[in-house]
Amino acid sequence: MLTGQFFLCFLLVLPTIFFGWEFVFRYGLVYNETGRCFDEKNAVTYHAQATPVYGAIFVFCLVTLAMMCRWTLKTVRRLKST
């Protein structure tokens, strides 16, 4: 059971890092008056409307990761005390 909890914590770290990086990256872009930013290097258009969505997903992943790590630590402490 404890190995599964550590594995879930590790799995939650990956999307948290990805969405956090994506949010910070998109937050720093300069958008035009229509809310778009064109990246000439990669030929990709980024939309300003996606930035708060990535932020919300990042916060959700972060809170879920914190709760999962706390649950795992409580389980470890409970197992050590018995």
Side-chain angles (χ1 to χ4, degrees), residues 5-74:
Q5 288 177 344
F6 282 119
F7 184 69
L8 283 175
C9 285
F10 176 73
L11 282 181
L12 282 172
V13 167
L14 299 177
T16 304
I17 291 172
F18 170 75
F19 286 114
W21 179 86
E22 194 70 27
F23 172 69
V24 170
F25 170 73
R26 287 177 180 250
Y27 188 75
L29 292 176
V30 178
Y31 297 99
N32 62 12
E33 62 276 356
T34 61
R36 296 181 184 148
C37 176
F38 182 69
D39 182 11
E40 295 176 3
K41 180 181 174 187
N42 297 325
V44 176
T45 302
Y46 297 102
H47 297 279
Q49 297 87 352
T51 303
V53 175
Y54 279 106
I57 295 172
F58 168 65
V59 169
F60 174 76
C61 288
L62 195 63
V63 168
T64 305
L65 177 64
M67 289 178 6
M68 189 67 189
C69 288
R70 183 173 182 217
W71 177 48
T72 303
L73 289 174
K74 286 174 72 174

Side-chain angles (χ1 to χ4, degrees), residues 1-3 5-6 68-82:
M1 179 175 162
L2 194 58
T3 307
Q5 288 177 344
F6 282 119
M68 189 67 189
C69 288
R70 183 173 182 217
W71 177 48
T72 303
L73 289 174
K74 286 174 72 174
T75 304
V76 167
R77 288 182 187 143
R78 184 174 42 92
L79 290 175
K80 281 186 179 182
S81 67
T82 57

